[in-house]
Amino acid sequence: MRLYVQVIEARGLPAMDLNGLSDPYVRLQLGKQRAKTKVVKKSLNPFWDEEFNFRVGDLKEELIILVLDEDKYFSDDSIGQVKLPLAKVLDAENLSLGSAWYQLQPKSKKSKNKECGEIRLTLSLSQSNPSCDGTPPRTCSEDLTSHSDKSSELKRESLSVESNGKIDSYSVSEAEEAEPDKEEKSQSRAFFDRMFQIFSGKSTEITKSTSRDIDFVEVIQEEPLKPEASELADDTVSNSTFDELLKILESKDQGGEMPENLTGGVILDQSYAVSPSELNTIIFSPNSNFLQSLAEIQGTTDLNIEPWRFENGESLKRVVTYIKAATKLVKAVKATEEQIYLKADGKNYSVLASVSTPDVPFGSYFRCEVLYCIMPGPQLPSEEESSRLVVSWRINFFQSTMMKGMIENGAKQGLKDSYVQFAELLSKNAKPLDLKDVESSKEQILASLQTEQESDWKLACRFFGNFTVISSIFVGLYVTVHILLANRSMIQGLEFTGLDLPDSIGEVVVCGVLVLQGERVLKMIGRFLQARKKREIFEFDAMIDPPSTMEINVYDFDGPFDEAVSLGHAEVNFLKSNLSELADVWIFLEGKLAQACQSKLHLRIFLNNTRGVQVVSDYLTKMEKEVGKKINLRSPQTNSAFQKLFGLPPEEFLINDFTCHLKRKMPIQGRLFLSPRIIGFYTNLFGHKIKFFFLWEDIEDIQVVPPSLTSMGSPSLLIILRRGRGLDARHGAKSLDPDGRLKFQFQSFVSFNVANRTIMALWKAKSLSPEQKVRIVEEESEEKELHSEESGSFLGVEDAKMSEVFSSIVPVPLNSLMEIFDGDSLEQKVMEKVGCVDYSATPWESVSPDVHQRQVNYKFDKNISRYGGEVTSTQQRSRLHDKNGWLIEEVMTLQGVLLGDYFTLHLRYQIDDLQSKSKACHVLVSLGIAWLKSTKHQKRITKNVIANSSTRLKEMFRLVEKEFSTGK
């Protein structure tokens, strides 16, 4: 038996927001089952009209209807609630309460709002699925709960797949955990007695079936049930071939666009020289051996592929089960993959695969979803059909877990490896296409632009459609009509026949204006004819640094010896215009002459990526060297939210963000976002939003303001823009100096040194001229050498508070001991014995006189970290002042370790040669932790890191001593 609830509308709700309105939605709960409606923005009389159904296990339970006001960054406010016992519905006529208004009651007795409004509901109990319009109501599940961090400004969106095979977007909202029931659930006997009273007089057969959570009783009548039409349809199509099933699905297709790529990112994007239908058959047809061959390559066993079937007469679905091969981290586990067609219209195909692996750790908390999109590809020279396959993925979490990051990283790596084999096998069945084969190279695009012609009439309308030409035509017509209507004047003054001189000063002025206007029109016609003949294409290398703006100046050239006169200028902002808009655009020129003539410039601009996906990683690698610390690539979801927040094009990506205060009249806390082309600030305090950004090129100077009482005891960054730049962000500026330059001040960074280094590196890389860059690099190198000689710090070691973790006299000569930092067999052997798996080190490279640097990579053994993890470190080696020892500094970045992205480790090895003992040296190792993010587990992490590092260092130098004594 099921309870059907229709949430229709509400009225008279109290205002919960500062704007005098609310953002209400309804949450329903029956036992452990929950559901919620959509959010109606800014309304006190919302209308939902949504249906839900709940499985009934105990008639003593009551349905709780809670009306809430959505809050973007804080917990949702309760407006009111209604509690309806199921017994009330059972006692009603026809087991239905009908449509009725219910008074909302405050959730707490201490609530100030006693008048909470009313809600209109329809409740009924039924044994079947009474759907009036053919659309089944949503089924509420006990497992589908999700959590989100509402304090984050970058709110994610995810996709849910409904039973009809379409993808809809829904906002992930906070879900309360189920409270334990205080009352014990009634036995199935009480439910049986009640049902017996209802159906008395009829011969019944009672069948009991238990579920995992709720005992469920069904009443089955002796009269056999007639099969429904959908069941008959399923039986009819069950024996159909795969092509026939696709034709049925195509006939039901209602158009619409292809579903968007999943939020995890794209793992395969390739075009093939086959039609979309053929590619779909290769991958998903039951007669294809593609999945069997792929299983053999990947080591998958017990592959079982069920036939395609229609589910509910709407969606085409099949189930594939198999046992995945064991990996280094996960043993062999059984997986169940549900594949469902979301779209099939003969040219476009979309299949969503949902993989469940309950046997892996936390396997019941998530599912891995993979979306296959097959669409028509680029046009081939032979006019044959081609197709494009795009495979994207995401992890759909049913419950919140601290291991979310590790699960996503592990799944991402596993999918990458798996789909490399997938692409290799598919290339044997369908020929992959190269961009050169489909005439999509840069030269061919430029050639198409060169040969493309626009009608003269259309171009003339654009060029002459301005005030100057239109006014000249009007004046010319006016004068012509005046001449036709005027009588011939008598000869007077110095006139003779055929010569009519002006008779007043006014007529002289009018004649002069007409001559100047005519001259201007004739010049415009001449420029139009010259411009019509010439079309020039210019090419720039924009891949080294992503372009933000392009400045254009138009000059009048009167020969090599005359100074060129500016006819106008313009600026193209790539961040405020999409590339599709710039493909064919008319730009108004600025300047006195250009504005007087309303001059426009016709441009066609496009950016052609010649370096592929390596552009982002190459740029981050370059910035890492400038900043001196590891910069992690952000996820596609974070980048997408960042782009939406500031209205940026899709190619812009987030580099880093910092929590800080914006100082104006009073400090305002928010977040500072850094990307290759902009620096932006965003905050939302009690609904009051401040959002702005400006370009790195707009910055004239960045100054460090010493800490003061007004800056809360921390240094500040004062950013000064160039004159007339960044005017869109002037509402966030602290002041405007007499020269017309905007000043922005940011303070109270969690780690000022990291923020300062990152901002300075991005600014220098983007806005400074080559001469300024060379001068600053020379100054910094001198300061770094001096600072290195004085304190020996590098790569932000000053951010970490160093403490001694190991000190000992090792009976090994200095040269022999330094072999563990030379990258030879001794270092490899010792490091693997202390738990560093797959240890590798690059050769030492000179970065300055007497200073060398190298990179080290290895993985943790499970004895060191039960979660595994990978380490990337940078080591720098230099001589001590007295030349009798070495100083080795190391900065370690941890990946795949719990909370590893919250901190970096800094180690300093000081090795002194003991002259009193010819075969011994003193080793002193200090360790510090630089926190990138704040966490309440800092003390525990610090304690564990110091303990593990101290143990590992003791073992490392013990093994060195042992190897030396054995070698002797």
Side-chain angles (χ1 to χ4, degrees):
M1 178 173 285
R2 289 189 174 273
L3 172 68
Y4 291 88
V5 183
Q6 182 181 10
V7 182
I8 304 175
E9 58 181 328
R11 63 187 181 189
L13 299 181
M16 308 298 291
D17 298 336
L18 297 177
N19 56 6
L21 298 172
S22 299
D23 301 327
Y25 69 94
V26 180
R27 181 180 295 166
L28 302 92
Q29 180 176 348
L30 181 64
K32 294 184 179 180
Q33 305 172 79
R34 295 177 182 176
K36 60 171 288 188
T37 66
K38 62 183 179 182
V39 179
V40 179
K41 297 290 185 180
K42 299 179 181 180
S43 176
L44 298 180
N45 300 293
F47 182 81
W48 295 285
D49 195 18
E50 297 186 32
E51 294 185 5
F52 306 90
N53 68 79
F54 298 87
R55 188 176 58 201
V56 176
D58 187 357
L59 288 174
K60 290 185 178 180
E61 291 180 343
E62 59 182 9
L63 176 68
I64 302 176
I65 298 99
L66 186 63
V67 182
L68 300 168
D69 171 55
E70 186 190 46
D71 200 320
K72 192 172 183 180
Y73 300 113
F74 302 96
S75 59
D76 296 342
D77 299 324
S78 174
I79 297 178
Q81 66 176 4
V82 176
K83 295 183 179 180
L84 297 173
L86 294 184
K88 185 177 180 181
V89 185
L90 192 63
D91 294 337
E93 186 178 357
N94 298 327
L95 302 179
S96 176
L97 293 179
S99 178
W101 288 93
Y102 298 91
Q103 183 68 39
L104 294 173
Q105 303 297 330
K107 188 176 181 180
S108 173
K109 294 182 180 179
K110 299 179 181 180
S111 177
K112 298 179 181 180
N113 294 329
K114 301 300 181 182
E115 297 295 331
C116 302
E118 297 177 304
I119 187 170
R120 187 182 175 192
L121 306 170
T122 300
L123 286 81
S124 61
L125 285 168
S126 176
Q127 287 285 346
S128 59
N129 192 351
S131 180
C132 302
D133 57 353
T135 303
R138 282 186 280 175
T139 303
C140 305
S141 170
E142 301 172 10
D143 299 332
L144 297 179
T145 58
S146 59
H147 303 266
S148 67
D149 184 7
K150 290 191 156 192
S151 63
S152 173
E153 298 87 352
L154 305 178
K155 191 171 183 180
R156 300 185 186 179
E157 291 185 353
S158 57
L159 302 174
S160 66
V161 181
E162 297 183 351
S163 60
N164 60 1
K166 298 179 180 178
I167 292 184
D168 298 329
S169 64
Y170 65 92
S171 297
V172 180
S173 61
E174 183 179 5
E176 298 177 354
E177 296 184 357
E179 298 180 357
D181 298 332
K182 295 182 179 181
E183 299 180 2
E184 297 181 355
K185 294 186 177 181
S186 62
Q187 302 295 328
S188 59
R189 183 65 184 173
F191 184 60
F192 168 78
D193 295 338
R194 192 73 182 218
M195 297 302 297
F196 182 79
Q197 295 175 5
I198 297 174
F199 295 97
S200 59
K202 298 182 180 180
S203 177
T204 62
E205 178 184 357
I206 302 173
T207 305
K208 299 181 181 180
S209 63
T210 60
S211 66
R212 186 175 298 176
D213 299 312
I214 301 176
D215 293 333
F216 180 55
V217 182
E218 294 180 350
V219 180
I220 305 175
Q221 299 182 4
E222 288 183 349
E223 182 181 357
L225 298 176
K226 296 182 180 181
E228 297 182 357
S230 62
E231 295 176 358
L232 293 175
D234 291 341
D235 295 337
T236 303
V237 301
S238 61
N239 298 323
S240 302
T241 63
F242 180 65
D243 295 336
E244 292 173 349
L245 293 175
L246 286 180
K247 289 181 179 179
I248 296 174
L249 193 62
E250 291 171 10
S251 63
K252 296 182 179 182
D253 187 75
Q254 299 179 355
E257 299 180 354
M258 290 281 286
E260 297 181 356
N261 295 332
L262 298 184
T263 53
V266 175
I267 51 178
L268 179 61
D269 187 351
Q270 180 63 49
S271 297
Y272 297 92
V274 295
S275 64
S277 59
E278 292 177 355
L279 186 60
N280 175 68
T281 302
I282 292 173
I283 301 176
F284 298 108
S285 174
N287 300 326
S288 174
N289 294 324
F290 181 79
L291 290 183
Q292 289 84 346
S293 302
L294 184 63
E296 294 177 1
I297 295 174
Q298 297 178 346
T300 302
T301 58
D302 295 348
L303 179 64
N304 181 28
I305 305 175
E306 296 184 3
W308 289 98
R309 298 181 183 277
F310 269 99
E311 188 179 58
N312 300 327
E314 292 292 336
S315 57
L316 191 60
K317 177 182 177 181
R318 76 173 178 184
V319 178
V320 180
T321 58
Y322 48 87
I323 296 179
K324 298 182 66 174
T327 63
K328 295 181 180 179
L329 300 177
V330 183
K331 64 179 183 180
V333 294
K334 184 177 182 181
T336 303
E337 181 175 339
E338 295 183 356
Q339 298 178 355
I340 183 171
Y341 269 91
L342 305 182
K343 184 176 181 62
D345 59 3
K347 294 183 178 180
N348 298 278
Y349 300 90
S350 179
V351 178
L352 181 72
S354 179
V355 184
S356 174
T357 52
D359 296 336
V360 302
F362 302 93
S364 60
Y365 283 52
F366 67 94
R367 281 191 180 183
C368 182
E369 297 179 352
V370 180
L371 179 64
Y372 302 83
C373 291
I374 302 174
M375 60 200 78
Q379 186 177 2
L380 298 177
S382 59
E383 297 184 356
E384 297 178 356
E385 287 188 276
S386 66
S387 59
R388 180 187 176 195
L389 173 64
V390 179
V391 182
S392 58
W393 73 283
R394 72 167 180 184
I395 298 293
N396 188 7
F397 285 92
F398 299 148
Q399 300 182 29
S400 178
T401 172
M402 292 180 62
M403 308 301 294
K404 183 176 181 180
M406 291 190 62
I407 293 172
E408 287 180 338
N409 293 335
K412 182 178 180 180
Q413 186 60 41
L415 287 172
K416 282 185 177 180
D417 298 340
S418 176
Y419 276 89
V420 168
Q421 301 170 338
F422 179 95
E424 292 177 354
L425 179 61
L426 187 58
S427 62
K428 298 178 181 179
N429 295 271
K431 180 183 176 183
L433 290 179
D434 193 0
L435 291 179
K436 297 179 181 178
D437 300 333
V438 296
E439 295 183 349
S440 60
S441 64
K442 177 179 61 179
E443 290 77 9
Q444 291 161 341
I445 295 175
L446 292 174
S448 65
L449 291 176
Q450 226 166 5
T451 57
E452 185 180 352
Q453 297 293 331
E454 188 176 14
S455 65
D456 294 339
W457 175 251
K458 186 176 181 181
L459 190 60
C461 290
R462 286 185 177 182
F463 192 81
F464 295 113
N466 54 59
F467 176 78
T468 301
V469 176
I470 294 175
S471 61
S472 299
I473 294 174
F474 177 77
V475 172
L477 291 175
Y478 183 85
V479 172
T480 302
V481 174
H482 171 73
I483 292 173
L484 295 176
L485 296 179
N487 295 325
R488 299 181 66 180
S489 60
M490 57 183 294
I491 297 175
Q492 54 184 346
L494 299 176
E495 296 177 348
F496 53 86
T497 304
L499 179 63
D500 190 3
L501 297 176
D503 298 333
S504 65
I505 298 300
E507 290 183 0
V508 174
V509 173
V510 171
C511 292
V513 170
L514 293 177
V515 171
L516 293 176
Q517 194 81 345
E519 181 187 9
R520 181 176 296 179
V521 172
L522 289 176
K523 284 185 177 181
M524 290 183 63
I525 295 174
R527 288 199 301 267
F528 170 75
L529 295 177
Q530 292 179 359
R532 187 70 185 91
K533 295 178 181 179
K534 295 182 180 180
R535 282 190 176 186
E536 298 186 17
I537 298 175
F538 299 94
E539 180 181 355
F540 303 93
D541 186 6
M543 301 307 298
I544 299 176
D545 289 315
S548 305
T549 59
M550 182 174 65
E551 296 182 359
I552 303 169
N553 288 282
V554 182
Y555 295 97
D556 180 23
F557 181 72
D558 291 333
F561 303 106
D562 294 334
E563 185 179 358
V565 179
S566 176
L567 300 177
H569 60 89
E571 181 183 85
V572 178
N573 193 318
F574 294 105
L575 291 166
K576 296 182 180 179
S577 303
N578 293 325
L579 292 180
S580 58
E581 298 173 354
L582 297 176
D584 191 353
V585 63
W586 285 86
I587 299 176
F588 280 96
L589 296 178
E590 299 180 0
K592 295 181 179 179
L593 293 176
Q595 291 178 346
C597 300
Q598 295 185 344
S599 301
K600 292 186 292 184
L601 187 65
H602 188 194
L603 297 175
R604 287 179 177 176
I605 304 171
F606 66 93
L607 292 178
N608 185 22
N609 187 352
T610 58
R611 300 190 183 180
V613 296
Q614 287 299 116
V615 175
V616 177
S617 59
D618 292 345
Y619 189 84
L620 291 181
T621 302
K622 183 180 72 173
M623 286 298 103
E624 286 175 359
K625 295 179 180 179
E626 297 290 336
V627 175
K629 67 180 296 292
K630 179 71 174 176
I631 299 178
N632 296 320
L633 181 64
R634 299 304 181 95
S635 64
Q637 305 96 312
T638 304
N639 282 325
S640 177
F642 167 66
Q643 293 157 9
K644 291 179 181 178
L645 185 64
F646 292 102
L648 302 174
E651 63 270 10
E652 192 71 5
F653 59 92
L654 180 63
I655 292 179
N656 210 338
D657 61 299
F658 303 97
T659 301
C660 64
H661 285 78
L662 171 67
K663 185 174 181 181
R664 297 194 299 177
K665 293 182 179 179
M666 61 176 295
I668 300 175
Q669 184 176 1
R671 294 193 76 82
L672 193 67
F673 298 91
L674 309 179
S675 77
R677 295 187 284 186
I678 74 158
I679 175 171
F681 181 82
Y682 176 80
T683 182
N684 187 350
L685 296 177
F686 306 106
H688 179 65
K689 298 180 181 179
I690 298 177
K691 178 175 64 175
F692 61 86
F693 73 87
F694 45 83
L695 306 178
W696 291 107
E697 291 93 330
D698 296 341
I699 301 176
E700 180 176 312
D701 189 19
I702 299 179
Q703 300 175 0
V704 177
V705 181
S708 62
L709 198 59
T710 57
S711 63
M712 303 179 185
S714 64
S716 303
L717 280 179
L718 184 63
I719 299 178
I720 304 173
L721 303 188
R722 303 181 191 275
R723 182 177 180 180
R725 308 296 295 183
L727 297 180
D728 295 340
R730 58 181 176 271
H731 60 280
K734 177 188 176 185
S735 61
L736 181 68
D737 66 2
D739 296 332
R741 302 180 303 176
L742 293 173
K743 293 185 177 181
F744 299 82
Q745 186 169 349
F746 303 97
Q747 63 188 39
S748 302
F749 291 94
V750 176
S751 177
F752 177 79
N753 289 325
V754 175
N756 184 30
R757 287 200 309 269
T758 306
I759 293 173
M760 293 297 292
L762 290 171
W763 175 51
K764 294 171 186 176
K766 192 67 181 174
S767 63
L768 298 183
S769 63
E771 295 78 8
Q772 290 175 317
K773 291 180 182 179
V774 171
R775 188 177 69 253
I776 291 178
V777 168
E778 292 176 353
E779 294 175 355
E780 287 187 347
S781 62
E782 294 177 359
E783 293 178 359
K784 182 181 289 186
E785 290 179 11
L786 181 61
H787 191 60
S788 177
E789 292 176 358
E790 293 177 352
S791 61
S793 63
F794 97 111
L795 292 180
V797 177
E798 65 273 8
D799 296 340
K801 185 178 180 181
M802 309 297 289
S803 59
E804 181 181 321
V805 292
F806 178 80
S807 179
S808 176
I809 296 177
V810 182
V812 178
L814 179 63
N815 294 334
S816 301
L817 184 60
M818 288 302 296
E819 290 182 5
I820 64 172
F821 297 105
D822 284 344
D824 57 6
S825 59
L826 176 62
E827 181 182 8
Q828 186 86 17
K829 185 176 181 180
V830 170
M831 298 308 293
E832 288 185 355
K833 284 185 178 181
V834 297
C836 301
V837 184
D838 298 336
Y839 187 87
S840 63
T842 61
W844 289 101
E845 296 179 359
S846 177
V847 294
S848 63
D850 298 330
V851 178
H852 294 76
Q853 187 170 307
R854 70 170 182 171
Q855 300 289 329
V856 178
N857 290 279
Y858 57 87
K859 295 180 180 179
F860 279 135
D861 188 8
K862 291 185 178 180
N863 295 328
I864 297 180
S865 173
R866 60 178 178 177
Y867 301 110
E870 186 175 353
V871 175
T872 302
S873 67
T874 303
Q875 293 181 349
Q876 196 173 88
R877 183 182 66 184
S878 60
R879 280 280 187 181
L880 293 176
H881 309 310
D882 53 7
K883 305 296 183 179
N884 292 324
W886 292 91
L887 178 66
I888 297 175
E889 293 178 318
E890 181 176 7
V891 177
M892 301 171 57
T893 303
L894 284 68
Q895 296 95 22
V897 178
L898 191 63
L899 300 180
D901 57 340
Y902 278 60
F903 61 93
T904 57
L905 297 182
H906 300 256
L907 288 169
R908 180 184 293 131
Y909 300 84
Q910 183 174 336
I911 304 175
D912 296 300
D913 187 13
L914 296 179
Q915 297 179 356
S916 59
K917 299 180 180 180
S918 59
K919 295 184 178 181
C921 55
H922 179 257
V923 179
L924 176 64
V925 184
S926 302
L927 182 143
I929 300 179
W931 293 98
L932 308 178
K933 303 177 184 178
S934 60
T935 173
K936 62 181 180 180
H937 304 291
Q938 285 190 7
K939 291 184 178 179
R940 183 187 300 177
I941 292 174
T942 303
K943 181 180 178 181
N944 293 338
V945 167
I946 292 177
N948 292 335
S949 299
S950 178
T951 303
R952 187 166 65 93
L953 290 168
K954 290 179 182 178
E955 180 67 14
M956 185 174 69
F957 287 103
R958 186 190 68 81
L959 290 172
V960 173
E961 181 180 351
K962 180 179 178 182
E963 291 290 333
F964 177 74
S965 59
T966 304
K968 282 198 306 182

